[in-house]
Amino acid sequence: MKPVPFLDLKSPYIELRDELDAAYRRVMESGWYILGEEATAFEKEFAEHCGAKFCVGVGNGLEALHLILRAYGIGEGDEVIVPTNTYIATWLAVSYAGAKPVPVEPIEREYNIDPNRIEAAITPRTKAILPVHLYGLAADVDPILSLAERFNLKVVEDAAQAQGAQYKGRSAGNLCHAAGFSFYPGKNLGALGDAGAAMTNDEALADKARTLRNYGSKVKYYNEAKGYNSRLDEMQAAFLRVKLKRLDEWNARRARIASFYLEALSDVEDLTLPALPNWSSPVWHIFPVRHPRRDELQAHLKANGVDTLIHYPVPPHLSGAYADMGYSRGAFPIAEAIADSELSLPMGPHLGEGDAERVVEVIQSFRPKTRSKS
C-alpha cells in the first residue's frame, strides 16, 4: 500500500508547474536577482493580503523577527517574553538581538502563550512580548495588546506558521505592532528555498528593517547602521507570488482535512484533539494531537505506512542551546508535557481524502501494549 507522507512538497509544483516555470524564466531573463521588481511586487501583494501597509522581504523567518527587534532598538540588557512551547527560532531571534528570552507557559489545548500568565513575567527590563501563532492557530492577542499598552511594550507576532490565519476577523501578521513570517518550503505559503518577511503598519519600523536587511544601507556603499545581509531574492519572490494566489484555496483544503480529523477522531480513547477557540480561524499548518503513549502510537502509524512528526520533542528551555539559562526538567511542566505527548498527523493541501481516511483507520486500530507490573 502506498505510504501516506507527512507533507507532500512535490504535488504543489505539479499543480503550479506552468506558472512556476514561467516565474523562473521571467527572473532569469530579467538579469536582476536581488532586490528587484519581483520582491517589490510580492511585498505589496502580501501586505495587501494581510491588510497591512508594509512588508519587507528578508532571508528567512528567524531573521524577520530578529530584524524587527533590532529595528525597535531592543538589545543587550533587555528582556522579551516568549512562549515555552514553540520552535527554538522564536527564542533565537531574541538572543540574536542581544536580549534575554523570558519564557511563559501556554494554554494547554490551544498550545499558544497564555495571556493570563504574562504579567507575572514582566520586569523593568521587559521591552516586548513575542506571541507565536503556533500550528496555524492565532494566539489570543487582544489581552496581550492591552497588557502591552499598560506597560509600554511592543508586541511582535511570530506568524511563521500562520499565513492566512484569522483572529476575530483580522489577519495574522496585522494584529500587533509587527510580525515575522517564514516562507520555508513546508509552510502554508512556502518558497522553494529559504525566505521570510517582516510586516507592520509602522512606516518608520519598515524603513529601519529595509535598511538593516541590506548591510544597513539605503544607498549602495553608504551605510547608516551596522546591518545584515538578509534579502528576499528575486527567484523566491517570484515563486511566492504564484503561490500567494492559491493560499486561501489551499488553506481551505487544509481546513476540510482538519474538520474530518476532528470528527472522525473525537471518540478515540486517550487521544487529545486541539481546541478551537470561537474567535479564531486556524489554517492548520500542523494538526497536533496528544497521546500518553505517543511513541507507541507513532511507531504503529509508521508500521502501517503513515508518516508523522513531533512538534517539538525538546522545548527550548531544555535544549543544549539554552543550557546556560540553568533550567531543568520541571521548570515549565506544561511545555514539557506537550513535548512528551504531541504528535503531528499528515496535513497539507494535497493530502488525498483516502489518505486522511487511512490515517484515521490506523489510529483507531491502535492498541497500546499492556505494561507489566514490577
Side-chain angles (χ1 to χ4, degrees):
M1 190 174 290
K2 182 182 176 183
V4 179
F6 175 73
L7 175 65
D8 180 358
L9 289 178
K10 185 176 180 180
S11 291
Y13 171 68
I14 293 172
E15 181 176 342
L16 302 176
R17 187 196 307 268
D18 291 345
E19 295 169 76
L20 291 169
D21 287 356
Y24 163 81
R25 288 191 295 270
R26 190 170 67 240
V27 173
M28 294 305 296
E29 291 169 2
S30 76
W32 194 288
Y33 307 120
I34 298 288
L35 295 182
E37 294 180 359
E38 297 290 345
T40 299
F42 173 72
E43 289 173 341
K44 180 176 184 295
E45 290 160 7
F46 190 50
E48 289 175 351
H49 187 274
C50 294
K53 293 181 180 178
F54 306 105
C55 174
V56 181
V58 298
N60 55 62
L62 168 57
E63 291 173 358
L65 294 172
H66 169 222
L67 292 179
I68 290 168
L69 296 175
R70 288 302 309 271
Y72 275 135
I74 294 171
E76 195 70 33
D78 295 332
E79 294 178 351
V80 176
I81 292 173
V82 296
T84 56
N85 184 52
T86 184
Y87 183 53
I88 199 170
T90 311
W91 288 42
L92 289 174
V94 177
S95 298
Y96 283 8
K100 176 185 176 182
V102 176
V104 169
E105 291 270 61
I107 299 172
E108 194 159 355
R109 286 189 58 212
E110 294 176 20
Y111 300 104
N112 288 321
I113 194 168
D114 186 343
N116 293 322
R117 296 174 182 266
I118 293 176
E119 184 170 357
I122 295 174
T123 76
R125 293 181 295 278
T126 306
K127 294 295 186 293
I129 305 168
L130 218 172
V132 180
H133 305 317
L134 199 66
Y135 306 148
L137 172 69
D140 190 6
V141 296
D142 279 356
I144 297 174
L145 286 166
S146 296
L147 192 62
E149 185 175 2
R150 281 175 50 204
F151 289 91
N152 192 29
L153 306 175
K154 297 297 183 184
V155 182
V156 179
E157 305 166 57
D158 182 339
Q161 300 182 3
Q163 298 93 339
Q166 296 282 307
Y167 172 81
K168 299 181 180 179
R170 291 137 49 202
S171 293
N174 189 29
L175 301 175
C176 302
H177 300 111
F181 284 94
S182 166
F183 305 122
Y184 181 77
K187 296 295 193 283
N188 291 42
L189 177 59
L192 301 186
D194 274 323
M199 189 82 72
T200 186
N201 291 313
D202 183 339
E203 186 172 8
L205 177 67
D207 184 65
K208 288 179 182 177
R210 286 195 190 95
T211 301
L212 288 172
R213 75 175 174 181
N214 190 34
Y215 297 102
S217 171
K218 292 179 185 174
V219 179
K220 196 176 178 84
Y221 303 130
Y222 291 83
N223 303 84
E224 302 174 13
K226 294 175 182 175
Y228 308 87
N229 177 11
S230 181
R231 302 170 297 202
L232 174 61
D233 71 66
E234 288 291 277
M235 193 70 74
Q236 299 305 334
F239 293 149
L240 286 167
R241 293 183 69 196
V242 172
K243 287 190 166 187
L244 179 59
K245 296 174 184 176
R246 302 298 179 91
L247 177 60
D248 293 340
E249 176 192 343
W250 285 4
N251 281 343
R253 294 185 201 174
R254 288 173 177 267
R256 287 194 291 272
I257 295 166
S259 293
F260 171 71
Y261 280 158
L262 288 168
E263 181 176 356
L265 296 172
S266 61
D267 59 354
V268 175
E269 186 177 2
D270 291 332
L271 193 73
T272 301
L273 299 175
L276 285 179
N278 59 15
W279 39 255
S280 185
S281 298
V283 291
W284 301 106
H285 173 63
I286 298 294
F287 189 92
V289 299
R290 292 177 62 194
H291 196 283
R293 309 285 283 274
R294 186 267 314 279
D295 293 348
E296 291 179 38
L297 175 58
Q298 185 176 38
H300 175 72
L301 285 158
K302 183 68 174 177
N304 286 275
V306 177
D307 286 337
T308 58
L309 289 178
I310 298 169
H311 293 87
Y312 300 95
V314 182
H317 72 278
L318 296 181
S319 69
Y322 286 96
D324 60 328
M325 294 187 74
Y327 293 117
S328 58
R329 178 163 283 275
F332 298 106
I334 298 177
E336 291 166 23
I338 292 170
D340 290 342
S341 60
E342 192 275 342
L343 188 66
S344 302
L345 304 185
M347 172 56 72
H350 297 88
L351 184 71
E353 182 178 323
D355 287 338
E357 290 174 351
R358 187 168 162 214
V359 172
V360 169
E361 290 169 0
V362 174
I363 292 175
Q364 290 173 334
S365 72
F366 175 58
R367 299 293 182 269
K369 296 177 183 178
T370 302
R371 291 172 176 165
S372 61
K373 296 181 180 180
S374 56

